């Protein structure tokens, strides 16, 4: 089963994906996480991607499509995967359709004001990658693994607004694209993480 999580920066895709993957035994494929890992390790891809990611721009389609093509052909994706942050452009959506059969697209709908509040309070664990928000965890240390909590480089206010603009221009049109294909399910992403996950669970259970 291939599921796609669609939503603006800060909509809660990563938070929801973590819950979904542990409950539904799906492999979490986050293109943002993959790019950040490549950037940390200074791979050829990471070096090419850094200037785009840091500026809040999209990494060129050809690089992303090749990265995802390789990743979803790996054995751990055989049972299914949850794509978080991909596709983000019409070209990526077309490429995905040619590589794999998409079963469902969950669109996480959240107002822009809430996106900015969520991103500006986000903290990410440099050890295990867990995501927190200062409204419910204000410490400097990850309660799960004890590593330091950091602010993501692309979470600076000016970059956040740029990322939302880039989303509106390039990614929002995919809502219509997948609706026309009959694959889109819209989820109200404005509630708590528990409420959002309960709504998604309902959709998933109806499907089975
Ligand atoms: P990526 O890492 O994918 O970033 P994004 O799409 O901008 O999404 P975020 O990670 O910012 O937010 P999220 O929706 O996962 O929210 P989260 O759960 O963390 O991409 C980064 C960059 O990589 C891009 O800008 C681009 O440069 C590049 N890139 C990646 N994919 C690409 C592609 N396909 N093509 C080209 N370039 C690509 O939650 C946010 C905060 O809110 C957290 O603090 C969380 O605790 C909190 N929160 C979550 N859910 C809730 C809730 N329900 N209620 C209250 N708070 C909540």
């Amino acid at each position: 089963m291939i599921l796609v999580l669609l939503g603006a920066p800060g909509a809660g895709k990563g938070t929801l994906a973590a819950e979904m993957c542990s409950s539904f035994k799906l492999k979490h494929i986050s293109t943002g996480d993959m790019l950040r890992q490549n950037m940390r390790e200074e791979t050829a891809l990471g070096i090419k991607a850094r200037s785009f990611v840091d500026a809040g721009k999209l990494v060129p389609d050809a690089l992303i499509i090749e990265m995802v093509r390789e990743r979803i052909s790996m054995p751990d994706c055989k049972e299914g995967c949850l794509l978080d942050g991909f596709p983000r452009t019409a070209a990526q959506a077309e490429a995905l359709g040619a590589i794999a059969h998409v079963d469902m697209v969950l669109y996480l709908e959240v107002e822009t004001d809430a996106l900015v509040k969520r991103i500006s309070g986000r903290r990410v664990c440099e050890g295990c990658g867990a995501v927190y928000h200062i409204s419910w965890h204000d410490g400097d240390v990850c309660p799960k693994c004890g590593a330091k909590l950091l602010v993501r480089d692309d979470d600076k206010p000016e970059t956040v607004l740029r990322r939302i603009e880039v989303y509106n221009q390039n990614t929002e049109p995919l809502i219509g694209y997948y609706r026309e294909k009959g694959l889109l399910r819209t989820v109200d992403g404005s509630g708590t993480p528990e409420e959002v996950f309960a709504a998604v669970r309902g959709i998933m259970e109806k499907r089975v």
Side-chain angles (χ1 to χ4, degrees):
M1 175 158 62
I2 297 210
L3 300 182
V4 169
L5 261 188
L6 197 60
K13 301 181 296 298
T15 302
L16 174 63
E19 206 50 53
M20 286 180 71
C21 288
S22 74
S23 296
F24 304 119
K25 305 280 171 279
L26 294 163
K27 192 74 199 165
H28 182 196
I29 308 292
S30 155
T31 45
D33 287 349
M34 291 169 78
L35 290 169
R36 282 184 289 278
Q37 186 179 351
N38 275 278
M39 282 159 49
R40 273 194 304 276
E41 293 170 0
E42 298 190 332
T43 64
L45 170 62
I47 290 165
K48 283 185 200 151
R50 180 172 288 283
S51 60
F52 296 97
V53 175
D54 285 350
K57 295 181 182 167
L58 293 181
V59 174
D61 285 335
L63 294 176
I64 294 288
I65 291 167
E66 198 39 43
M67 179 178 87
V68 172
R69 188 198 308 276
E70 261 181 39
R71 184 63 189 88
I72 64 179
S73 67
M74 289 182 181
D76 62 346
C77 289
K78 228 175 167 179
E79 299 298 316
C81 64
L82 177 61
L83 294 170
D84 160 6
F86 179 89
R88 261 172 148 101
T89 63
Q92 291 180 18
E94 289 293 330
L96 176 61
I99 303 168
H101 171 77
V102 175
D103 293 278
M104 184 161 66
V105 177
L106 291 166
Y107 164 50
L108 214 44
E109 194 173 32
V110 179
E111 297 282 332
T112 306
D113 287 356
L115 299 174
V116 175
K117 270 191 207 143
R118 287 183 185 182
I119 296 184
S120 55
R122 171 167 49 196
R123 299 292 179 270
V124 182
C125 173
E126 69 171 352
C128 67
V131 176
Y132 300 93
H133 193 275
I134 51 169
S135 60
W136 49 272
H137 179 73
D138 200 12
D140 296 334
V141 168
C142 176
K144 289 187 186 159
C145 76
K148 228 162 89 185
L149 297 184
L150 304 173
V151 176
R152 249 169 62 174
D153 286 342
D154 60 344
D155 279 354
K156 294 185 210 96
E158 63 278 15
T159 318
V160 170
L161 294 177
R162 173 81 184 137
R163 282 163 56 203
I164 293 174
E165 217 177 273
V166 166
Y167 167 83
N168 289 337
Q169 257 172 27
N170 297 276
T171 312
E172 206 180 45
L174 297 185
I175 297 167
Y177 175 88
Y178 283 118
R179 185 178 285 126
E180 270 179 28
K181 289 184 181 291
L183 294 173
L184 195 82
R185 302 287 177 278
T186 300
V187 179
D188 176 5
S190 64
T192 64
E194 293 74 21
E195 287 167 344
V196 175
F197 180 60
V200 168
R201 183 188 281 285
I203 293 173
M204 295 291 284
E205 284 170 356
K206 259 192 219 152
R207 225 194 133 260
V208 180

